[in-house]
Amino acid sequence: EVQLVESGGGMVESGGSLRLSCVVSGLTSTWYWMAWFRRPPGKKNEDVVYIYNDGRTIYADSVKGRFSISQDSAQNTLYLQMNSLIPEDTAKYLCAVGLDRGTTQYWGQGTQVTVSS
C-alpha cells in the first residue's frame, strides 16, 4: 500500500523558513501528480502546489514566489521549501500523490506549521 509521511513542521516567526518533507513508499505504478495541500484553522483544504510527472508545477497565488516544491533524485521524497512565512501560512500541511490520471489518491496525515507575528 502507498504511504506518505510528512515531517518538518513547527513554529516559526514571520519571515522565517521551513522545509517540509514527505517520504513516499509503496509506489508500484507511475504517478500522475504529487502535491502539497494545507488546511488553515477552521477552513477547508486548499491547494498549495502540484508537480506533474512531466515536470509542470502549479502554485497557488498565495504562495507563489515564496514556496518551492522539489523531489529527490529517486522521487521517494517530496519537499516543500517555505520562505518568507507569514501568519496566514499557519495550517496543517498534507502531501498527496495521484495515480491513474489522478483518480486514485493517497494522502499523508499532515504536519502542523504555525507562523507567529
Side-chain angles (χ1 to χ4, degrees):
E1 181 181 349
V2 177
Q3 291 186 309
L4 301 90
V5 181
E6 303 94 335
S7 63
M11 179 177 288
V12 297
E13 297 180 354
S14 294
S17 298
L18 283 174
R19 188 180 74 160
L20 306 183
S21 299
C22 172
V23 177
V24 183
S25 62
L27 279 176
T28 58
S29 302
T30 300
W31 57 276
Y32 183 61
W33 53 255
M34 294 184 180
W36 288 96
F37 301 83
R38 68 185 184 186
R39 185 185 304 123
K43 299 182 179 180
K44 298 180 179 180
N45 283 356
E46 60 186 43
D47 298 349
V48 176
V49 57
Y50 283 82
I51 182 167
Y52 293 87
N53 62 10
D54 62 0
R56 289 178 296 137
T57 56
I58 301 177
Y59 291 86
D61 288 342
S62 59
V63 307
K64 195 172 300 181
R66 300 188 298 118
F67 291 11
S68 180
I69 192 171
S70 62
Q71 297 171 296
D72 65 358
S73 58
Q75 299 183 340
N76 293 323
T77 306
L78 185 69
Y79 300 99
L80 183 67
Q81 179 66 45
M82 306 185 294
N83 299 324
S84 302
L85 286 162
I86 57 177
E88 289 74 16
D89 295 321
T90 295
K92 185 177 183 179
Y93 284 73
L94 307 96
C95 63
V97 58
L99 310 177
D100 302 320
R101 299 170 66 185
T103 59
T104 301
Q105 302 177 4
Y106 295 90
W107 291 71
Q109 63 180 348
T111 185
Q112 179 67 37
V113 171
T114 302
V115 185
S116 64
S117 60

